[in-house]
Amino acid sequence: MRDGSILNVAAAGLVIGALLGMAGSFAPTAELRGLAWGTDGIALVVASALLGFHHLRTGDVQLAAGFLVFLAGETLIVSGSAMDLAAGAPSFAAGAGLWAAALTLISASPLMPRLVRVTGTIAAILFAVTAAAIFSGVGLTSLSDPLPFYAYPFLAVTLFGWAWAHRPSRSPAEARSTGAAHEYANG
């Protein structure tokens, strides 16, 4: 698969993940929620794997590590997507903690657009607080309000931003203006 195709598939996976993740949060039944979240999780695992290896090949170890940590967190999250919310809370907490770490790694990279770095940092903080609360015995689930419920919009915007930042059809000037000139030059 060529780099352009890899980036297109990864971007599509991020968009599908963002849309179905949000849709699952508002699903009227547990079955529809499980289907949306399961599909969303698979799309995000594929996208994260592709982006992790893409950035490893281009020499961006920090971004590669961030996407691979996101992949690990997402596998924990997707493992509980069809479970009862309370029963899936421990794996959700572990996944949310890994999401927080991944979002921090990726958002710390100057190669990501500033807005995406800001939304990613906010999501990282909210998911870190959520994970710590669940690990401390607070009875939160993946749909508890206010956390983690209000973290999801920040995650979705960040996922859309990652998709935008990785689209292969950018001009050299646009790549430079977003801080990703090396990505354009390296395909």
Side-chain angles (χ1 to χ4, degrees), residues 10-70:
L14 293 168
V15 169
I16 290 167
L19 293 174
L20 290 179
M22 290 301 291
S25 297
F26 295 101
T29 66
E31 294 79 15
L32 286 176
R33 182 183 65 240
L35 180 62
W37 281 356
T39 307
D40 134 62
I42 292 165
L44 290 176
V45 165
V46 170
S48 299
L50 292 172
L51 291 174
F53 284 103
H54 168 75
H55 285 291
L56 195 58
R57 281 189 20 219
T58 61
D60 297 322
V61 176
Q62 179 179 342
L63 282 174
F67 284 110
L68 293 175
V69 172
F70 193 84

Side-chain angles (χ1 to χ4, degrees), residues 87-110:
S91 64
F92 176 76
L98 288 169
W99 271 356
L103 286 159
T104 300
L105 279 168
I106 296 166
S107 295
S109 172

Side-chain angles (χ1 to χ4, degrees), residues 72-73 75-81 83 86-98 134-135:
T75 59
L76 288 167
I77 300 279
V78 77
S79 72
S81 61
M83 296 174 75
S91 64
F92 176 76
L98 288 169
I134 295 172
F135 288 145

Side-chain angles (χ1 to χ4, degrees), residues 7-23 39-40 43-44 47 51 155-165 167:
L7 293 177
N8 282 333
V9 171
L14 293 168
V15 169
I16 290 167
L19 293 174
L20 290 179
M22 290 301 291
T39 307
D40 134 62
L44 290 176
L51 291 174
L155 176 61
V157 169
T158 302
L159 294 174
F160 285 126
W162 290 349
W164 178 82
R167 67 191 195 288

Side-chain angles (χ1 to χ4, degrees), residues 87-137:
S91 64
F92 176 76
L98 288 169
W99 271 356
L103 286 159
T104 300
L105 279 168
I106 296 166
S107 295
S109 172
L111 299 177
M112 284 290 140
R114 187 176 311 274
L115 175 64
V116 178
R117 294 172 69 191
V118 169
T119 60
T121 299
I122 294 168
I125 292 166
L126 296 175
F127 283 119
V129 169
T130 298
I134 295 172
F135 288 145
S136 299

